[in-house]
Amino acid sequence: MEGKVPIIGTFRLSIKEMTNAVKQQNNKAGKGPDSKLEADGRDHALSSVRNIGIIAHIDAGKTTTSERILYYSGKVHRIGEVHDGTATMDWMIQEQERGITITSAATTCFWNDHQINIIDTPGHVDFTVEVERSLRVLDGAVGVFCAVGGVQPQSETVWRQATKYQVPRLAFVNKMDRMGANFKKVLSEMQEKLGAPAVAIQLPVGEAESFSGVIDLIKMRGITFSEGDMGSKVGYTDMPAELAAEAEEARAALIERVAEVDEELLEAYMENSDVSEQALVEALRRATIANHIVPVLAGSSLKNKGVQPLLDAVVAYLPSPLDVPAVSGISPKNEEQLERAASDFEPLTGLVFKMATDKFVGKLAFVRIYSGQLKKGQNIFNPRTRKRERIGRLLRLHANHREDVDVLYAGEIGGMVGQKLFTTGDTVCPENDPIVLETIDFPEPVISMAIEPKTTADKDALVDALQDMADEDPTFHTSIHEETGQTIIQGMGELHLEIIKDRILREYKVQANAGRPMVAYRESVSKKGEGRFTFEREIGGENLFASLTLQVAPAAAGAGNTIDFDVSTSIIPTEYRKGIEEGIADALLTGVLGNFAIIDTKVTVIGGQTHATDSSEVAFRSAAVMALRDAVGHAGPILLEPIMLLEIETPEEHLGDVMGDLNSRRGRIREIKATNDLQVVQADVPLAEVFGYATSLRSLTKGRASYTMEPQAFEPVPASMENSILNR
């Protein structure tokens, strides 16, 4: 991935290789170690910029941690609380009412003369797109874990997303003040469940009610936080005598782990096992940036303990834009591989990672600048549309507040106002030196719902509102049902569509009726099959001819669709192949059983016939649609339904009722384990069976159980249910 050190499987770059790679990228761009990388107008040097995200399971304390960071860094003068609906980063009214983060909010703060650009991401699985696109443009991340819940399902999801983009991470074990808090257990779960190279750089002083501070294993001292002024004053104490032996052991383990992956520290360690503080910090930074180590800290954000050392660790161990290799892309002119180093004097390269509609400023594009300078009034180029646009306004972002700026420099995150042609995943670059960065992949929706305006007057306003939200959210789709003419909206879950409905009413003032949520089924094939079609027609006085033979076969689950040509260009000339691919893609979207998209299918063109004068791209596109439908019909078409992974926490006395209910919902139990005084049940359950599950679970357990849910896979629908689904 662009801008990250490649780590594939068990292969990892060594520290020296990583350092040399970064130097080579800068030198290749004409930027040696003594060269000027930065424009005079910058407030902070590139080396002092940190682009980080806060990622975690829902309710682990991401937003609370973000609020403390803003308060202690002087960005805000009053701590906002999620439970009071006053959190700065949860600015949407829907977030304040529900106490959850729905949209990723960006802000900039300053700590120890470093500029920290922060994105606070949602933890609910319905809004996983916000995590995906944020991690795509960040240089580092802080994973927040609940000291009681440990590694929870969505913790695993966001950690996998960060691994996908090779984002260096710190871990913050939050809620150390809560009953049942267990720092060592969370550390162990990170290593086992996530496969993370997690190493403690702090130890908690006490747990639950007795939690009073932390021990810094780097400086070997205690850290306390004042009670009277919201933890603003940080105190340093000698090592508590009762924890001295444990701290010495933990520091030795830390040094050994870092020395295993850092050659310089290993050399120092061989000379003297008690390495210096400076050598340890420098080695830990190199190892963290290389994704060889995840430093783990402890605290309680709600009780104002541990946040300032977390900020110190962000500055000390997470990378600046200069610490990662140059971003790479391709030239739209000749497909040549291009690289752009982090420098204000390289050609402009930026990625639009989010769109938003703001009632005060209009359409707002969130952009990460990798190289060059983006200036107000400048003309920029969009390689996807091959169109130019002029920058009207540039903004530095603080949740839903905006600050106008004249320039965004390399390494910064900001907003462009009024760009009509840009959408999520587009590259920003100059027309005379274009580049295309790798775009962002988004999951397909799993749930749908019909929606219609209450009055004729609301019809156009509803269309505009849905279009705005589809522009903002790539996992929200709208379409018109071919048979009924109804507007169908699709999303990632019930909460996702509920928020959409609420925004339509409150933000856009549109009255609309919505139907019941429906499962977004998929289709696939169960065996190989062939199909043929000959398109022979006269249209507008012109004869059209194309004949095509296709073969389809099942692919591995989650592999997606592929289209291959196993036929020579003498049979199917190159000029017709684009039309064939487009026709196959169209047919895959509409399916054959119930107008559901076909997934995980390999399509191969194995034969065809052309006419010297009557064949055309249009004719082959039409032939491809019909040939694919014929092939799928002969390949055992099957209907697939989304399967969700449920994790339910319930008191033991209600475990039997919960298990019985899951069995009645066609659930498959994966695991049952005890955590403190609760039983945790993991099960795979079809999405169709869990609509309204929150209400049922509350009723079964007298409101004492809770659950989380995330999409897992698509599996065949039982034969006994297929007809009833298709005939609805």
PDB file of all heavy atoms in Angstrom, residues 332-366:
ATOM      1  N   PRO A 332      -1.567   8.122 -15.677  1.00  0.00           N
ATOM      2  CA  PRO A 332      -2.708   7.835 -16.555  1.00  0.00           C
ATOM      3  C   PRO A 332      -2.345   7.920 -18.032  1.00  0.00           C
ATOM      4  O   PRO A 332      -3.105   7.479 -18.884  1.00  0.00           O
ATOM      5  CB  PRO A 332      -3.724   8.913 -16.167  1.00  0.00           C
ATOM      6  CG  PRO A 332      -2.919  10.025 -15.600  1.00  0.00           C
ATOM      7  CD  PRO A 332      -1.732   9.386 -14.947  1.00  0.00           C
ATOM      8  N   LYS A 333      -1.164   8.471 -18.317  1.00  0.00           N
ATOM      9  CA  LYS A 333      -0.736   8.607 -19.719  1.00  0.00           C
ATOM     10  C   LYS A 333      -0.204   7.302 -20.287  1.00  0.00           C
ATOM     11  O   LYS A 333      -0.534   6.909 -21.403  1.00  0.00           O
ATOM     12  CB  LYS A 333       0.332   9.703 -19.834  1.00  0.00           C
ATOM     13  CG  LYS A 333      -0.143  11.090 -19.438  1.00  0.00           C
ATOM     14  CD  LYS A 333       1.014  12.078 -19.510  1.00  0.00           C
ATOM     15  CE  LYS A 333       0.589  13.484 -19.118  1.00  0.00           C
ATOM     16  NZ  LYS A 333       1.734  14.441 -19.145  1.00  0.00           N
ATOM     17  N   ASN A 334       0.636   6.597 -19.484  1.00  0.00           N
ATOM     18  CA  ASN A 334       1.304   5.412 -20.030  1.00  0.00           C
ATOM     19  C   ASN A 334       1.387   4.243 -19.047  1.00  0.00           C
ATOM     20  O   ASN A 334       2.131   3.291 -19.282  1.00  0.00           O
ATOM     21  CB  ASN A 334       2.716   5.781 -20.491  1.00  0.00           C
ATOM     22  CG  ASN A 334       3.514   6.473 -19.383  1.00  0.00           C
ATOM     23  OD1 ASN A 334       3.201   6.327 -18.198  1.00  0.00           O
ATOM     24  ND2 ASN A 334       4.533   7.229 -19.762  1.00  0.00           N
ATOM     25  N   GLU A 335       0.629   4.308 -17.935  1.00  0.00           N
ATOM     26  CA  GLU A 335       0.609   3.230 -16.937  1.00  0.00           C
ATOM     27  C   GLU A 335       1.951   3.041 -16.225  1.00  0.00           C
ATOM     28  O   GLU A 335       2.180   2.040 -15.554  1.00  0.00           O
ATOM     29  CB  GLU A 335       0.199   1.889 -17.571  1.00  0.00           C
ATOM     30  CG  GLU A 335      -1.141   1.903 -18.248  1.00  0.00           C
ATOM     31  CD  GLU A 335      -2.296   2.059 -17.268  1.00  0.00           C
ATOM     32  OE1 GLU A 335      -2.291   1.367 -16.251  1.00  0.00           O
ATOM     33  OE2 GLU A 335      -3.191   2.884 -17.525  1.00  0.00           O
ATOM     34  N   GLU A 336       2.863   4.008 -16.356  1.00  0.00           N
ATOM     35  CA  GLU A 336       4.167   3.921 -15.698  1.00  0.00           C
ATOM     36  C   GLU A 336       4.011   4.109 -14.196  1.00  0.00           C
ATOM     37  O   GLU A 336       3.201   4.912 -13.727  1.00  0.00           O
ATOM     38  CB  GLU A 336       5.095   5.002 -16.256  1.00  0.00           C
ATOM     39  CG  GLU A 336       6.483   5.010 -15.632  1.00  0.00           C
ATOM     40  CD  GLU A 336       7.303   6.221 -16.065  1.00  0.00           C
ATOM     41  OE1 GLU A 336       6.830   6.966 -16.939  1.00  0.00           O
ATOM     42  OE2 GLU A 336       8.407   6.403 -15.521  1.00  0.00           O
ATOM     43  N   GLN A 337       4.809   3.346 -13.417  1.00  0.00           N
ATOM     44  CA  GLN A 337       4.781   3.474 -11.962  1.00  0.00           C
ATOM     45  C   GLN A 337       5.468   4.772 -11.553  1.00  0.00           C
ATOM     46  O   GLN A 337       6.583   5.063 -12.000  1.00  0.00           O
ATOM     47  CB  GLN A 337       5.502   2.288 -11.320  1.00  0.00           C
ATOM     48  CG  GLN A 337       5.311   2.194  -9.808  1.00  0.00           C
ATOM     49  CD  GLN A 337       3.992   1.559  -9.424  1.00  0.00           C
ATOM     50  OE1 GLN A 337       3.315   0.995 -10.255  1.00  0.00           O
ATOM     51  NE2 GLN A 337       3.624   1.664  -8.162  1.00  0.00           N
ATOM     52  N   LEU A 338       4.799   5.553 -10.694  1.00  0.00           N
ATOM     53  CA  LEU A 338       5.342   6.836 -10.238  1.00  0.00           C
ATOM     54  C   LEU A 338       5.429   6.843  -8.716  1.00  0.00           C
ATOM     55  O   LEU A 338       4.662   6.165  -8.038  1.00  0.00           O
ATOM     56  CB  LEU A 338       4.442   7.994 -10.696  1.00  0.00           C
ATOM     57  CG  LEU A 338       4.235   8.179 -12.198  1.00  0.00           C
ATOM     58  CD1 LEU A 338       3.225   9.288 -12.451  1.00  0.00           C
ATOM     59  CD2 LEU A 338       5.551   8.502 -12.891  1.00  0.00           C
ATOM     60  N   GLU A 339       6.356   7.636  -8.194  1.00  0.00           N
ATOM     61  CA  GLU A 339       6.497   7.801  -6.751  1.00  0.00           C
ATOM     62  C   GLU A 339       6.611   9.274  -6.419  1.00  0.00           C
ATOM     63  O   GLU A 339       7.250  10.031  -7.152  1.00  0.00           O
ATOM     64  CB  GLU A 339       7.726   7.050  -6.233  1.00  0.00           C
ATOM     65  CG  GLU A 339       7.595   5.545  -6.336  1.00  0.00           C
ATOM     66  CD  GLU A 339       8.850   4.824  -5.877  1.00  0.00           C
ATOM     67  OE1 GLU A 339       9.928   5.464  -5.880  1.00  0.00           O
ATOM     68  OE2 GLU A 339       8.759   3.641  -5.532  1.00  0.00           O
ATOM     69  N   ARG A 340       5.992   9.666  -5.314  1.00  0.00           N
ATOM     70  CA  ARG A 340       6.056  11.060  -4.866  1.00  0.00           C
ATOM     71  C   ARG A 340       6.472  11.083  -3.403  1.00  0.00           C
ATOM     72  O   ARG A 340       5.751  10.588  -2.530  1.00  0.00           O
ATOM     73  CB  ARG A 340       4.681  11.741  -5.039  1.00  0.00           C
ATOM     74  CG  ARG A 340       4.180  11.762  -6.492  1.00  0.00           C
ATOM     75  CD  ARG A 340       4.792  12.903  -7.285  1.00  0.00           C
ATOM     76  NE  ARG A 340       4.553  12.803  -8.714  1.00  0.00           N
ATOM     77  CZ  ARG A 340       3.457  13.202  -9.350  1.00  0.00           C
ATOM     78  NH1 ARG A 340       2.453  13.706  -8.672  1.00  0.00           N
ATOM     79  NH2 ARG A 340       3.368  13.100 -10.654  1.00  0.00           N
ATOM     80  N   ALA A 341       7.640  11.664  -3.136  1.00  0.00           N
ATOM     81  CA  ALA A 341       8.142  11.755  -1.767  1.00  0.00           C
ATOM     82  C   ALA A 341       7.424  12.871  -1.016  1.00  0.00           C
ATOM     83  O   ALA A 341       6.876  13.799  -1.613  1.00  0.00           O
ATOM     84  CB  ALA A 341       9.645  12.006  -1.781  1.00  0.00           C
ATOM     85  N   ALA A 342       7.432  12.778   0.306  1.00  0.00           N
ATOM     86  CA  ALA A 342       6.808  13.797   1.147  1.00  0.00           C
ATOM     87  C   ALA A 342       7.658  15.064   1.112  1.00  0.00           C
ATOM     88  O   ALA A 342       8.679  15.159   1.785  1.00  0.00           O
ATOM     89  CB  ALA A 342       6.661  13.291   2.574  1.00  0.00           C
ATOM     90  N   SER A 343       7.250  16.021   0.287  1.00  0.00           N
ATOM     91  CA  SER A 343       7.977  17.285   0.144  1.00  0.00           C
ATOM     92  C   SER A 343       7.029  18.324  -0.422  1.00  0.00           C
ATOM     93  O   SER A 343       6.185  18.017  -1.264  1.00  0.00           O
ATOM     94  CB  SER A 343       9.175  17.110  -0.797  1.00  0.00           C
ATOM     95  OG  SER A 343       9.653  18.369  -1.235  1.00  0.00           O
ATOM     96  N   ASP A 344       7.176  19.551   0.033  1.00  0.00           N
ATOM     97  CA  ASP A 344       6.359  20.643  -0.500  1.00  0.00           C
ATOM     98  C   ASP A 344       6.736  20.994  -1.931  1.00  0.00           C
ATOM     99  O   ASP A 344       5.995  21.718  -2.607  1.00  0.00           O
ATOM    100  CB  ASP A 344       6.505  21.895   0.378  1.00  0.00           C
ATOM    101  CG  ASP A 344       5.915  21.701   1.764  1.00  0.00           C
ATOM    102  OD1 ASP A 344       5.018  20.851   1.897  1.00  0.00           O
ATOM    103  OD2 ASP A 344       6.349  22.386   2.708  1.00  0.00           O
ATOM    104  N   PHE A 345       7.886  20.503  -2.409  1.00  0.00           N
ATOM    105  CA  PHE A 345       8.372  20.890  -3.730  1.00  0.00           C
ATOM    106  C   PHE A 345       8.228  19.773  -4.761  1.00  0.00           C
ATOM    107  O   PHE A 345       8.648  19.926  -5.899  1.00  0.00           O
ATOM    108  CB  PHE A 345       9.830  21.357  -3.631  1.00  0.00           C
ATOM    109  CG  PHE A 345       9.984  22.528  -2.697  1.00  0.00           C
ATOM    110  CD1 PHE A 345      10.590  22.369  -1.463  1.00  0.00           C
ATOM    111  CD2 PHE A 345       9.476  23.767  -3.037  1.00  0.00           C
ATOM    112  CE1 PHE A 345      10.710  23.438  -0.581  1.00  0.00           C
ATOM    113  CE2 PHE A 345       9.596  24.844  -2.163  1.00  0.00           C
ATOM    114  CZ  PHE A 345      10.209  24.684  -0.939  1.00  0.00           C
ATOM    115  N   GLU A 346       7.644  18.664  -4.360  1.00  0.00           N
ATOM    116  CA  GLU A 346       7.268  17.624  -5.318  1.00  0.00           C
ATOM    117  C   GLU A 346       5.968  18.055  -6.018  1.00  0.00           C
ATOM    118  O   GLU A 346       5.248  18.932  -5.530  1.00  0.00           O
ATOM    119  CB  GLU A 346       7.027  16.308  -4.583  1.00  0.00           C
ATOM    120  CG  GLU A 346       8.297  15.566  -4.199  1.00  0.00           C
ATOM    121  CD  GLU A 346       8.823  14.747  -5.361  1.00  0.00           C
ATOM    122  OE1 GLU A 346       8.275  13.694  -5.683  1.00  0.00           O
ATOM    123  OE2 GLU A 346       9.816  15.200  -5.960  1.00  0.00           O
ATOM    124  N   PRO A 347       5.603  17.443  -7.156  1.00  0.00           N
ATOM    125  CA  PRO A 347       4.307  17.732  -7.774  1.00  0.00           C
ATOM    126  C   PRO A 347       3.168  17.400  -6.810  1.00  0.00           C
ATOM    127  O   PRO A 347       3.261  16.458  -6.019  1.00  0.00           O
ATOM    128  CB  PRO A 347       4.278  16.809  -9.000  1.00  0.00           C
ATOM    129  CG  PRO A 347       5.710  16.540  -9.305  1.00  0.00           C
ATOM    130  CD  PRO A 347       6.419  16.528  -7.982  1.00  0.00           C
ATOM    131  N   LEU A 348       2.098  18.175  -6.875  1.00  0.00           N
ATOM    132  CA  LEU A 348       0.946  17.983  -5.995  1.00  0.00           C
ATOM    133  C   LEU A 348       0.384  16.563  -6.149  1.00  0.00           C
ATOM    134  O   LEU A 348       0.114  16.108  -7.255  1.00  0.00           O
ATOM    135  CB  LEU A 348      -0.142  19.009  -6.338  1.00  0.00           C
ATOM    136  CG  LEU A 348      -1.504  18.798  -5.661  1.00  0.00           C
ATOM    137  CD1 LEU A 348      -1.380  18.981  -4.156  1.00  0.00           C
ATOM    138  CD2 LEU A 348      -2.544  19.759  -6.243  1.00  0.00           C
ATOM    139  N   THR A 349       0.202  15.883  -5.016  1.00  0.00           N
ATOM    140  CA  THR A 349      -0.437  14.568  -4.994  1.00  0.00           C
ATOM    141  C   THR A 349      -1.296  14.484  -3.742  1.00  0.00           C
ATOM    142  O   THR A 349      -0.789  14.624  -2.627  1.00  0.00           O
ATOM    143  CB  THR A 349       0.598  13.429  -4.961  1.00  0.00           C
ATOM    144  OG1 THR A 349       1.518  13.586  -6.042  1.00  0.00           O
ATOM    145  CG2 THR A 349      -0.081  12.077  -5.084  1.00  0.00           C
ATOM    146  N   GLY A 350      -2.583  14.282  -3.939  1.00  0.00           N
ATOM    147  CA  GLY A 350      -3.491  14.163  -2.804  1.00  0.00           C
ATOM    148  C   GLY A 350      -4.554  13.124  -3.081  1.00  0.00           C
ATOM    149  O   GLY A 350      -4.795  12.754  -4.235  1.00  0.00           O
ATOM    150  N   LEU A 351      -5.205  12.632  -2.030  1.00  0.00           N
ATOM    151  CA  LEU A 351      -6.274  11.650  -2.174  1.00  0.00           C
ATOM    152  C   LEU A 351      -7.513  12.135  -1.440  1.00  0.00           C
ATOM    153  O   LEU A 351      -7.454  12.468  -0.254  1.00  0.00           O
ATOM    154  CB  LEU A 351      -5.840  10.295  -1.606  1.00  0.00           C
ATOM    155  CG  LEU A 351      -6.857   9.169  -1.779  1.00  0.00           C
ATOM    156  CD1 LEU A 351      -6.926   8.726  -3.240  1.00  0.00           C
ATOM    157  CD2 LEU A 351      -6.518   7.967  -0.891  1.00  0.00           C
ATOM    158  N   VAL A 352      -8.635  12.189  -2.162  1.00  0.00           N
ATOM    159  CA  VAL A 352      -9.923  12.513  -1.542  1.00  0.00           C
ATOM    160  C   VAL A 352     -10.429  11.244  -0.865  1.00  0.00           C
ATOM    161  O   VAL A 352     -10.686  10.244  -1.529  1.00  0.00           O
ATOM    162  CB  VAL A 352     -10.937  13.008  -2.584  1.00  0.00           C
ATOM    163  CG1 VAL A 352     -12.304  13.205  -1.946  1.00  0.00           C
ATOM    164  CG2 VAL A 352     -10.460  14.304  -3.224  1.00  0.00           C
ATOM    165  N   PHE A 353     -10.526  11.256   0.470  1.00  0.00           N
ATOM    166  CA  PHE A 353     -10.919  10.042   1.172  1.00  0.00           C
ATOM    167  C   PHE A 353     -12.307  10.119   1.774  1.00  0.00           C
ATOM    168  O   PHE A 353     -12.815   9.131   2.316  1.00  0.00           O
ATOM    169  CB  PHE A 353      -9.889   9.694   2.258  1.00  0.00           C
ATOM    170  CG  PHE A 353      -9.797  10.683   3.395  1.00  0.00           C
ATOM    171  CD1 PHE A 353     -10.506  10.497   4.561  1.00  0.00           C
ATOM    172  CD2 PHE A 353      -8.971  11.802   3.297  1.00  0.00           C
ATOM    173  CE1 PHE A 353     -10.404  11.392   5.616  1.00  0.00           C
ATOM    174  CE2 PHE A 353      -8.853  12.702   4.342  1.00  0.00           C
ATOM    175  CZ  PHE A 353      -9.584  12.503   5.503  1.00  0.00           C
ATOM    176  N   LYS A 354     -12.951  11.277   1.672  1.00  0.00           N
ATOM    177  CA  LYS A 354     -14.298  11.387   2.223  1.00  0.00           C
ATOM    178  C   LYS A 354     -14.998  12.588   1.617  1.00  0.00           C
ATOM    179  O   LYS A 354     -14.365  13.616   1.350  1.00  0.00           O
ATOM    180  CB  LYS A 354     -14.228  11.530   3.753  1.00  0.00           C
ATOM    181  CG  LYS A 354     -15.594  11.722   4.420  1.00  0.00           C
ATOM    182  CD  LYS A 354     -15.493  11.753   5.928  1.00  0.00           C
ATOM    183  CE  LYS A 354     -16.858  12.026   6.539  1.00  0.00           C
ATOM    184  NZ  LYS A 354     -16.874  11.969   7.993  1.00  0.00           N
ATOM    185  N   MET A 355     -16.315  12.439   1.386  1.00  0.00           N
ATOM    186  CA  MET A 355     -17.148  13.553   0.938  1.00  0.00           C
ATOM    187  C   MET A 355     -18.195  13.828   2.015  1.00  0.00           C
ATOM    188  O   MET A 355     -18.676  12.914   2.685  1.00  0.00           O
ATOM    189  CB  MET A 355     -17.846  13.222  -0.386  1.00  0.00           C
ATOM    190  CG  MET A 355     -16.917  12.898  -1.531  1.00  0.00           C
ATOM    191  SD  MET A 355     -15.833  14.260  -2.006  1.00  0.00           S
ATOM    192  CE  MET A 355     -17.042  15.508  -2.460  1.00  0.00           C
ATOM    193  N   ALA A 356     -18.545  15.087   2.171  1.00  0.00           N
ATOM    194  CA  ALA A 356     -19.592  15.460   3.124  1.00  0.00           C
ATOM    195  C   ALA A 356     -20.368  16.635   2.557  1.00  0.00           C
ATOM    196  O   ALA A 356     -19.846  17.418   1.753  1.00  0.00           O
ATOM    197  CB  ALA A 356     -18.987  15.826   4.481  1.00  0.00           C
ATOM    198  N   THR A 357     -21.627  16.735   2.967  1.00  0.00           N
ATOM    199  CA  THR A 357     -22.454  17.880   2.579  1.00  0.00           C
ATOM    200  C   THR A 357     -22.679  18.730   3.814  1.00  0.00           C
ATOM    201  O   THR A 357     -23.261  18.261   4.802  1.00  0.00           O
ATOM    202  CB  THR A 357     -23.801  17.427   1.998  1.00  0.00           C
ATOM    203  OG1 THR A 357     -23.557  16.590   0.864  1.00  0.00           O
ATOM    204  CG2 THR A 357     -24.624  18.620   1.557  1.00  0.00           C
ATOM    205  N   ASP A 358     -22.209  19.955   3.786  1.00  0.00           N
ATOM    206  CA  ASP A 358     -22.297  20.872   4.920  1.00  0.00           C
ATOM    207  C   ASP A 358     -23.300  21.968   4.578  1.00  0.00           C
ATOM    208  O   ASP A 358     -23.205  22.595   3.524  1.00  0.00           O
ATOM    209  CB  ASP A 358     -20.917  21.478   5.203  1.00  0.00           C
ATOM    210  CG  ASP A 358     -20.890  22.286   6.492  1.00  0.00           C
ATOM    211  OD1 ASP A 358     -21.518  23.367   6.517  1.00  0.00           O
ATOM    212  OD2 ASP A 358     -20.234  21.851   7.449  1.00  0.00           O
ATOM    213  N   LYS A 359     -24.261  22.199   5.473  1.00  0.00           N
ATOM    214  CA  LYS A 359     -25.310  23.172   5.165  1.00  0.00           C
ATOM    215  C   LYS A 359     -24.785  24.597   5.091  1.00  0.00           C
ATOM    216  O   LYS A 359     -25.448  25.475   4.542  1.00  0.00           O
ATOM    217  CB  LYS A 359     -26.429  23.086   6.205  1.00  0.00           C
ATOM    218  CG  LYS A 359     -26.004  23.378   7.635  1.00  0.00           C
ATOM    219  CD  LYS A 359     -27.186  23.171   8.584  1.00  0.00           C
ATOM    220  CE  LYS A 359     -26.779  23.388  10.044  1.00  0.00           C
ATOM    221  NZ  LYS A 359     -27.899  23.154  10.981  1.00  0.00           N
ATOM    222  N   PHE A 360     -23.577  24.822   5.625  1.00  0.00           N
ATOM    223  CA  PHE A 360     -23.011  26.168   5.574  1.00  0.00           C
ATOM    224  C   PHE A 360     -22.063  26.361   4.397  1.00  0.00           C
ATOM    225  O   PHE A 360     -22.020  27.429   3.797  1.00  0.00           O
ATOM    226  CB  PHE A 360     -22.281  26.490   6.887  1.00  0.00           C
ATOM    227  CG  PHE A 360     -23.167  26.481   8.092  1.00  0.00           C
ATOM    228  CD1 PHE A 360     -23.020  25.512   9.073  1.00  0.00           C
ATOM    229  CD2 PHE A 360     -24.162  27.432   8.245  1.00  0.00           C
ATOM    230  CE1 PHE A 360     -23.839  25.496  10.180  1.00  0.00           C
ATOM    231  CE2 PHE A 360     -24.997  27.430   9.355  1.00  0.00           C
ATOM    232  CZ  PHE A 360     -24.844  26.463  10.323  1.00  0.00           C
ATOM    233  N   VAL A 361     -21.286  25.336   4.059  1.00  0.00           N
ATOM    234  CA  VAL A 361     -20.283  25.512   2.997  1.00  0.00           C
ATOM    235  C   VAL A 361     -20.581  24.701   1.742  1.00  0.00           C
ATOM    236  O   VAL A 361     -19.921  24.866   0.726  1.00  0.00           O
ATOM    237  CB  VAL A 361     -18.864  25.152   3.509  1.00  0.00           C
ATOM    238  CG1 VAL A 361     -18.481  26.005   4.681  1.00  0.00           C
ATOM    239  CG2 VAL A 361     -18.749  23.673   3.850  1.00  0.00           C
ATOM    240  N   GLY A 362     -21.582  23.808   1.800  1.00  0.00           N
ATOM    241  CA  GLY A 362     -21.920  23.007   0.625  1.00  0.00           C
ATOM    242  C   GLY A 362     -21.130  21.709   0.593  1.00  0.00           C
ATOM    243  O   GLY A 362     -20.856  21.096   1.632  1.00  0.00           O
ATOM    244  N   LYS A 363     -20.746  21.280  -0.608  1.00  0.00           N
ATOM    245  CA  LYS A 363     -20.047  20.006  -0.777  1.00  0.00           C
ATOM    246  C   LYS A 363     -18.603  20.149  -0.308  1.00  0.00           C
ATOM    247  O   LYS A 363     -17.877  21.032  -0.756  1.00  0.00           O
ATOM    248  CB  LYS A 363     -20.101  19.587  -2.248  1.00  0.00           C
ATOM    249  CG  LYS A 363     -19.742  18.130  -2.483  1.00  0.00           C
ATOM    250  CD  LYS A 363     -20.024  17.733  -3.926  1.00  0.00           C
ATOM    251  CE  LYS A 363     -19.715  16.267  -4.166  1.00  0.00           C
ATOM    252  NZ  LYS A 363     -19.977  15.866  -5.562  1.00  0.00           N
ATOM    253  N   LEU A 364     -18.201  19.262   0.597  1.00  0.00           N
ATOM    254  CA  LEU A 364     -16.874  19.334   1.215  1.00  0.00           C
ATOM    255  C   LEU A 364     -16.129  18.032   0.958  1.00  0.00           C
ATOM    256  O   LEU A 364     -16.627  16.944   1.235  1.00  0.00           O
ATOM    257  CB  LEU A 364     -17.020  19.562   2.726  1.00  0.00           C
ATOM    258  CG  LEU A 364     -15.747  19.591   3.575  1.00  0.00           C
ATOM    259  CD1 LEU A 364     -14.853  20.740   3.171  1.00  0.00           C
ATOM    260  CD2 LEU A 364     -16.108  19.689   5.062  1.00  0.00           C
ATOM    261  N   ALA A 365     -14.929  18.144   0.397  1.00  0.00           N
ATOM    262  CA  ALA A 365     -14.094  16.975   0.115  1.00  0.00           C
ATOM    263  C   ALA A 365     -12.925  16.954   1.097  1.00  0.00           C
ATOM    264  O   ALA A 365     -12.139  17.904   1.148  1.00  0.00           O
ATOM    265  CB  ALA A 365     -13.582  17.024  -1.320  1.00  0.00           C
ATOM    266  N   PHE A 366     -12.817  15.880   1.880  1.00  0.00           N
ATOM    267  CA  PHE A 366     -11.680  15.694   2.788  1.00  0.00           C
ATOM    268  C   PHE A 366     -10.509  15.167   1.960  1.00  0.00           C
ATOM    269  O   PHE A 366     -10.662  14.182   1.228  1.00  0.00           O
ATOM    270  CB  PHE A 366     -12.009  14.682   3.881  1.00  0.00           C
ATOM    271  CG  PHE A 366     -12.995  15.169   4.913  1.00  0.00           C
ATOM    272  CD1 PHE A 366     -14.281  15.520   4.570  1.00  0.00           C
ATOM    273  CD2 PHE A 366     -12.626  15.267   6.244  1.00  0.00           C
ATOM    274  CE1 PHE A 366     -15.195  15.957   5.516  1.00  0.00           C
ATOM    275  CE2 PHE A 366     -13.523  15.707   7.206  1.00  0.00           C
ATOM    276  CZ  PHE A 366     -14.809  16.057   6.842  1.00  0.00           C
TER     277      PHE A 366
END
